[in-house]
């Protein structure tokens, strides 16, 4: 089974993305993308999905990139909850029978740790970002 050049490039890009993500230091803050917001209630549904791993330290921050694609930051109170969430999504193995990846509005979420090594006061607050819910019901 030979793969064409485009498929090979896609595989290399995927591996590089995954290896880059795995080199990031584990922490309580996760970056999430590859989801769609169709209704106003989707924000609460998204939050409820992350709450199944543990309590959040602050409200989920949702925004859109320059192409209009939504992304969010999820910060857990306990680092072990963030680790459990990230592992659940990314650790693919024949031995990981408990893996139940998170899907939202028909898309499998992409989750990675936020690179906290760049914390140097250069954060910008977007006026478009929205905060939603933070407690379990």
């Amino acid at each position: 089974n030979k793969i064409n050049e485009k498929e090979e490039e896609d595989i290399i890009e995927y591996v590089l993305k995954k290896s880059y993500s795995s080199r990031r230091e584990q922490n309580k803050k996760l970056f999430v993308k590859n989801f769609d917001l169709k209704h106003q209630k989707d924000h609460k549904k998204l939050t409820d999905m992350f709450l199944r791993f543990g309590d959040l330290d602050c409200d989920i921050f949702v925004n859109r990139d320059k192409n209009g694609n939504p992304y969010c930051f999820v910060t857990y109170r306990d680092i072990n909850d963030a680790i459990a969430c990230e592992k659940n999504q990314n650790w693919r193995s024949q031995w990981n029978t408990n893996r139940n990846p998170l899907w939202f509005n028909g898309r499998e979420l992409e989750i990675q740790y936020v690179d906290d090594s760049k914390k140097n006061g250069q954060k910008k607050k977007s006026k478009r970002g929205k905060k939603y819910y933070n407690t379990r019901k």
Side-chain angles (χ1 to χ4, degrees), residues 68-136:
N69 300 315
Y71 66 88
C72 69
F73 294 101
V74 178
T75 307
Y76 285 95
R77 285 190 186 148
D78 186 328
I79 190 169
N80 292 317
D81 297 334
I83 291 169
C85 180
E86 192 275 340
K87 255 188 184 172
N88 176 76
Q89 197 67 16
N90 297 320
W91 191 52
R92 291 175 172 87
S93 166
Q94 63 185 7
W95 299 281
N96 185 10
T97 56
N98 294 328
R99 183 177 182 270
N100 186 13
L102 302 176
W103 287 71
F104 194 78
N105 285 338
R107 296 182 181 179
E108 185 175 352
L109 298 179
E110 294 179 28
I111 300 174
Q112 59 186 315
Y113 295 106
V114 171
D115 184 3
D116 276 346
S117 67
K118 296 180 181 178
K119 278 190 174 179
N120 58 7
Q122 293 181 356
K123 284 186 178 179
K124 288 183 181 178
K125 284 196 173 185
S126 170
K127 293 178 183 176
R128 295 187 313 175
K130 298 175 183 169
K131 295 180 181 178
Y132 296 94
Y133 320 101
N134 144 3
T135 57
R136 293 185 188 199

Side-chain angles (χ1 to χ4, degrees), residues 1-4 7:
N1 291 345
K2 278 196 161 192
I3 58 174
N4 65 38
E7 289 172 325

